[in-house]
Amino acid sequence: MPEGLSDEKTIQAIQENPYMQYLLGLPKFTEKPVFVPELFVQIRKRLDHEFFNLLTLLLSEADGSKPKKVHTDEDGNDHGGAMKVDATCCDAEVRYPTDYNLLEDGSELIDRLLDKFCARHKAEKPRTHRVEARQAFISLTKKKRKGKKLVDKVRSIRLRCLQADLLAFLDFLGGQSSRLLSCFSRHDCKCLKAAFRMYEQQKKMFDENVRRYADRIVSIYQPHLRLIVRGKAKAKVEFGAKIGASIVNGYTYVDHLSWDAYNESSDLAMQLELYKKRFGMLPQEVQADKLYLGKANRNLIKTRRGPSARGTRWRPHSEPPKGFTGQTTSGRNLTTRLTHG
């Protein structure tokens, strides 16, 4: 099946392909849709990262890649295998958020919802400030150099227009029957709620002349997204879920998933416990970068090593461990053994 198909295109491909229908277990070929595209969404919501971790564990056991016991410490804990830990961001591929772009999205959303309601119920559309807001937005985007005075002027116009449109939208719906509001989908209601929150945030930031806001909305169509500071050469920030992952013998397990930024070094204790739960032992070796060299993790490693290793230090290796494919810059990749000797 070609990659990048939407849910609707996938259903259409199944309708045209008898081999796919046979794989799905259908008794005979049919040109009717096998199921509705919304079923994909329901399945995705039911399958969380714990389910995929279970599938990964079953694959590693079937492949014979499960870590083997190597050593037993003085406390009776078995050790075996190596675990690489790190964090990454699952980029949501959204447009880089700017204040005037967010206000444009909010104005466009209100206008689209009004068009949808009036077309469905043959009602007269109320007057909005969409044309004025759009003209202000285009006048800014066409400028090669966008000075602060021009940006502030356009933001002021957009905020005034969006406020008037939101009030007109509420007044218009308030005079309609509640049963007529069923034309709005759940996604429409979610985006509308995010648009109101976005307006409140933008208004407060503009009045107080600040650039930061707690839980700031970066997309009204995906209001759960938050800014994740990465500091990479390609992009300083990314937008998406941050995950803490561990790799064991080439198989990756998602140990922590969060839509908010966090310090991944706090995941080490949890990842050690998950490793023991999955394989019945602690790892003999942990490979991580220097961010994991905090005091709490140092004390954790000392207690895991046993009483005979409490005086040892956690140092970067001068040479990368065998089979380690990460960066080899001094002090960047670190390896520590959980067993002494």
Side-chain angles (χ1 to χ4, degrees):
M1 180 181 296
E3 298 182 359
L5 290 180
S6 63
D7 294 345
E8 291 78 6
K9 293 293 184 181
T10 303
I11 299 297
Q12 184 178 357
I14 295 175
Q15 288 180 246
E16 301 171 353
N17 196 318
Y19 300 100
M20 293 183 182
Q21 296 187 15
Y22 177 79
L23 183 63
L24 293 176
L26 297 181
K28 61 180 180 179
F29 177 78
T30 177
E31 296 181 353
K32 297 180 180 180
V34 291
F35 47 82
V36 294
E38 288 76 10
L39 183 60
F40 283 117
V41 181
Q42 297 179 5
I43 294 176
R44 293 191 195 104
K45 290 181 179 180
R46 293 173 59 185
L47 300 181
D48 56 359
H49 66 281
E50 295 293 341
F51 177 79
F52 287 101
N53 285 340
L54 177 60
L55 292 181
T56 304
L57 182 60
L58 295 176
L59 287 175
S60 65
E61 293 177 352
D63 190 34
S65 300
K66 188 176 180 180
K68 308 296 182 182
K69 174 183 173 182
V70 176
H71 178 76
T72 302
D73 60 19
E74 298 176 358
D75 297 332
N77 295 319
D78 295 333
H79 296 260
M83 178 177 67
K84 304 176 188 178
V85 294
D86 202 358
T88 186
C89 180
C90 302
D91 193 6
E93 299 182 356
V94 297
R95 178 186 58 189
Y96 190 86
T98 56
D99 295 332
Y100 51 87
N101 278 330
L102 287 173
L103 294 172
E104 168 67 16
D105 291 341
S107 176
E108 183 182 6
L109 174 69
I110 296 299
D111 190 68
R112 179 174 60 83
L113 293 181
L114 283 175
D115 288 339
K116 182 177 181 179
F117 182 89
C118 295
R120 179 71 61 87
H121 302 294
K122 308 248 189 281
E124 183 180 356
K125 181 180 177 180
R127 183 179 178 182
T128 64
H129 296 75
R130 174 62 181 160
V131 176
E132 180 184 358
R134 182 64 180 175
Q135 289 177 350
F137 176 74
I138 292 177
S139 66
L140 177 64
T141 55
K142 286 185 175 181
K143 296 289 185 181
K144 186 175 182 180
R145 296 183 179 178
K146 303 175 179 61
K148 186 177 183 303
K149 290 185 178 180
L150 178 61
V151 173
D152 289 343
K153 179 181 178 181
V154 172
R155 286 179 62 192
S156 176
I157 297 174
R158 300 305 305 271
L159 284 169
R160 175 175 56 80
C161 294
L162 182 58
Q163 180 185 18
D165 289 346
L166 289 174
L167 292 177
F169 181 79
L170 293 178
D171 291 340
F172 176 73
L173 293 185
Q176 307 294 328
S177 175
S178 59
R179 61 183 180 83
L180 301 180
L181 302 181
S182 59
C183 65
F184 296 136
S185 64
R186 182 180 301 179
H187 180 68
D188 292 336
C189 298
K190 180 180 178 181
C191 294
L192 183 62
K193 182 180 179 180
F196 276 96
R197 288 182 53 199
M198 179 271 297
Y199 167 75
E200 294 175 357
Q201 295 176 0
Q202 293 293 328
K203 179 65 174 175
K204 187 172 183 180
M205 288 192 296
F206 182 78
D207 293 340
E208 299 179 1
N209 194 22
V210 295
R211 295 181 177 271
R212 295 189 178 184
Y213 198 94
D215 293 332
R216 181 177 177 180
I217 292 179
V218 298
S219 173
I220 62 175
Y221 301 106
Q222 300 184 68
H224 54 276
L225 293 182
R226 295 293 178 267
L227 183 145
I228 305 294
V229 179
R230 298 284 291 164
K232 302 295 184 180
K234 181 182 69 172
K236 293 183 179 180
V237 296
E238 293 180 356
F239 305 94
K242 186 172 184 178
I243 60 172
S246 59
I247 303 177
V248 181
N249 291 336
Y251 288 90
T252 303
Y253 302 88
V254 179
D255 300 323
H256 188 187
L257 188 148
S258 174
W259 291 103
D260 296 317
Y262 72 95
N263 191 329
E264 58 262 29
S265 64
S266 60
D267 287 343
L268 184 60
M270 174 190 63
Q271 288 170 328
L272 290 175
E273 294 298 329
L274 289 175
Y275 187 96
K276 185 175 182 180
K277 181 180 178 181
R278 291 167 183 152
F279 306 111
M281 67 186 82
L282 290 171
Q284 187 184 18
E285 192 173 271
V286 176
Q287 301 167 3
D289 59 20
K290 62 182 179 181
L291 185 61
Y292 288 80
L293 274 175
K295 183 177 179 181
N297 287 342
R298 290 173 183 266
N299 295 332
L300 175 66
I301 294 300
K302 289 180 181 179
T303 57
R304 293 294 186 181
R305 283 173 172 172
S308 60
R310 295 187 187 277
T312 59
R313 298 181 63 185
W314 193 9
R315 299 172 176 170
H317 275 202
S318 58
E319 296 182 0
K322 185 177 180 181
F324 184 62
T325 58
Q327 301 176 3
T328 57
T329 305
S330 176
R332 176 60 182 170
N333 290 326
L334 309 169
T335 303
T336 179
R337 290 185 175 274
L338 295 185
T339 56
H340 182 59

